[in-house]
Structure formats: C-alpha cells, structure tokens
Amino acid sequence: MLIPCPWCGDREDIEFKYGGAAQIAYPANPDSADDAAWARYVFFRPNPKGKMAERWVHSAGCRRWFNLVRDTVTHEITPTPAAEERR
Amino acid sequence: MIAEAIRRGALADYAERFTTLYETAGSSVSIRELPFLAQLNLRVDAGDTAVMGQVTDYLGFSLPLTPNTASQAGDRRALWLGPDEWLIVGPDDQATSLEQALRGGLGGAVGSVVDVSANRTVLEIRGSKGHDLLAHGVPIDLDPGAFGPGCCAQTLLAKAQVIIERRDEAPAFQLYIRSSFASYVADWLLDAARAL
Ligand SMILES: [Zn+2]
C-alpha cells in the first residue's frame, strides 16, 4: 500500500506510523470543561466504516506528521488540499 | 595525535570483506566506507528569506528547497531532510568551520545547528549492479529515471533507516547509516551481493 506523504510523495506504508483520528478538537474553554468534556476529548474516537480523517507520520522518511482521509474498508486515500494535509 | 591514532570508522573491521567482494564481483558492484565525514543537522525556517539568504552567503551555496534533493558546491553538500531541516556534509576536517558558518548564517534567528558527524557513517555502493543490490531491500524506486543525480531520500534498507544519495551520473549511491546499525547493514549488503 502506498501512502502519499505531502512532502515526499507516494511511499510504501512500512515507512509510516499511524497516529489515530485527526481533527479531534481541543476543548474551547479548557478551564471550564467538565470531566465529561475531558473524557470525550481524551478517550472518544470515531470508528467509521468508510472515510476517516487520520494522522500519519512519515517516520522512516522526513518524519513529518500530516493528515489524510482513508476509507477504512477499501483503504482508498482521498486527496487532501496541501494546506490541510501539511499540518 | 593520539586521538587520531585510535579513531576508527564504524565499519573499519569490514574493509577486508569489502575487498573480497571487489575481487569476486569486480566492477559490477563494490562497497567502501567513507568514514569521518563532517555532518551537521540544520533547522531553519525555509520561509524566512532573509535568514535563508544569510545561510547561503555563509555556506557558499543555497539549500535545496525541493524535497529529497541535494545541492552542492565543491566538497560541501546539503541534503533535504524536511521542510525546515537539512544535513550539511563536508570533508573530515570541516565540522568546526561548517558549524561556525551555519551559526553565522543563522544569526539570531530561530533554528539550530548540531554536529551529528558521529551519528552516521557513509557507505558508497558503486558499479553497474549497485542498483540491483539495493533493490533487494529498499522500497523506493532507485532507477535513474526516478532517482537521478542530485536526488536523496530517507527510507528503509532492510528495516534500517538510511539516507540514500546519488551524487552524479556515475552508477554510485552514498548510504548514510546510523553507526549502531552499520555492521547489520554491511552484513546484509554482503549477503545480498552474493545473490547478484
Ligand atoms: Zn515524507
């Protein structure tokens, strides 16, 4: 399986490590967030059958983290705008 | 002088085995260690054109901005490692002068210069079958059409993280290998060379 590093281009998946779900928003008001809000931020993750926004790191290559959208059934990776993926 | 006398390359013990390979494989594939190269890790904001200009002035050539390419002037070279990270390589005796040049270029800007000369040793794979040898264990395409002169890449060689560079038109690759992985990689290469 080839994974598109936003810097290096397509590379074999053995060069990467998985970083879980992307777009997990930090509590907007951390001082006033209650236990339930913290639990939701720390422990709750999406587990869709289909497209999922994910974090990956090109650990054996340029060692940069990036975002991509992968289909958990087909492994098909949807192109992401550069400004979105290079974060 | 004493320090000079006891200094050994990470693969000094392999010189004889590399010679034996050369005697059997001839010019089709040869391996030799290029020990003690000066290597400096540079982090600087590539978007800061003023600092990048200063680094160019102090270094004498500009850093490559295209991912996985290298630039060079004389015996000094710069390999792209990341969007804000480079490996600057020079001859053995230039670690200090390179460090001073890079620090001068950085000035007071946010960034870092670290002498990492002892982190990696360099192996040169030379010959018409060098590409076939590496293809046994490297997941990227090293064909001249995809990986021509001036290309470099960080990848895996038989599970060990390496930087691979092709400097010019000659059929030769430079492998930057962490010293603690060097004997493993050398053993692997010598074994794979028997299958060529
Ligand atoms: Zn990369």
Side-chain angles (χ1 to χ4, degrees):
Chain A
M1 177 174 159
L2 293 174
I3 294 176
C5 170
W7 302 100
C8 305
D10 288 346
R11 293 287 188 95
E12 291 271 346
D13 57 358
I14 57 169
E15 294 187 5
F16 297 83
K17 287 195 168 57
Y18 182 57
Q23 299 164 4
I24 306 294
Y26 193 74
N29 297 303
D31 291 339
S32 57
D34 61 10
D35 285 355
W38 278 115
R40 184 155 290 280
Y41 169 68
V42 174
F43 301 115
F44 282 50
R45 292 293 180 269
N47 185 26
K49 182 178 181 180
K51 287 185 177 179
M52 176 165 162
E54 297 176 333
R55 298 285 286 163
W56 286 81
V57 60
H58 193 187
S59 51
C62 64
R63 306 188 313 291
R64 264 60 194 183
W65 284 93
F66 57 94
N67 298 317
L68 59 72
V69 175
R70 181 182 63 102
D71 190 303
T72 58
V73 179
T74 63
H75 296 307
E76 188 191 350
I77 292 168
T78 312
T80 307
E84 292 279 307
E85 64 183 356
R86 289 185 176 183
R87 290 174 65 196
Chain B
M1 281 309 288
I2 290 171
E4 198 70 24
I6 61 172
R7 193 167 70 152
R8 290 162 53 82
L11 292 172
D13 289 341
Y14 281 76
E16 207 172 300
R17 273 168 273 185
F18 293 156
T19 305
T20 306
L21 172 67
Y22 183 73
E23 283 163 2
T24 50
S27 60
S28 68
V29 64
S30 66
I31 305 174
R32 66 174 177 140
E33 186 184 16
L34 311 175
F36 312 131
L37 290 178
Q39 298 173 61
L40 289 111
N41 185 282
L42 170 68
R43 303 287 307 256
V44 58
D45 178 4
D48 188 334
T49 49
V51 180
M52 291 295 278
Q54 271 173 224
V55 171
T56 301
D57 290 345
Y58 274 82
L59 195 59
F61 62 102
S62 48
L63 301 172
L65 296 177
T66 305
N68 300 307
T69 62
S71 61
Q72 68 174 91
D75 49 13
R76 294 177 166 189
R77 44 205 318 101
L79 280 63
W80 185 98
L81 297 184
D84 57 5
E85 185 175 9
W86 291 266
L87 185 71
I88 316 297
V89 184
D92 182 13
D93 52 2
Q94 288 191 16
T96 307
S97 60
L98 271 173
E99 182 174 348
Q100 284 167 352
L102 293 171
R103 285 196 189 286
L106 210 52
V110 175
S112 73
V113 178
V114 182
D115 184 344
V116 293
S117 303
N119 186 17
R120 293 186 173 90
T121 189
V122 178
L123 274 186
E124 184 174 73
I125 314 281
R126 189 169 273 277
S128 55
K129 287 191 172 170
H131 171 247
D132 294 338
L133 173 60
L134 292 175
H136 279 280
V138 171
I140 63 171
D141 186 0
L142 294 176
D143 187 84
F147 195 83
C151 283
C152 65
Q154 299 165 93
T155 184
L156 296 168
L157 169 59
K159 298 182 183 175
Q161 203 271 340
V162 295
I163 305 170
I164 303 178
E165 184 190 11
R166 185 200 289 270
R167 292 190 181 169
D168 45 40
E169 298 286 347
F173 299 93
Q174 280 75 32
L175 266 50
Y176 297 72
I177 306 158
R178 296 217 167 89
S179 297
S180 55
F181 284 81
S183 60
Y184 160 73
V185 170
D187 282 334
W188 187 93
L189 287 168
L190 288 166
D191 185 56
R194 298 196 310 175
L196 291 175

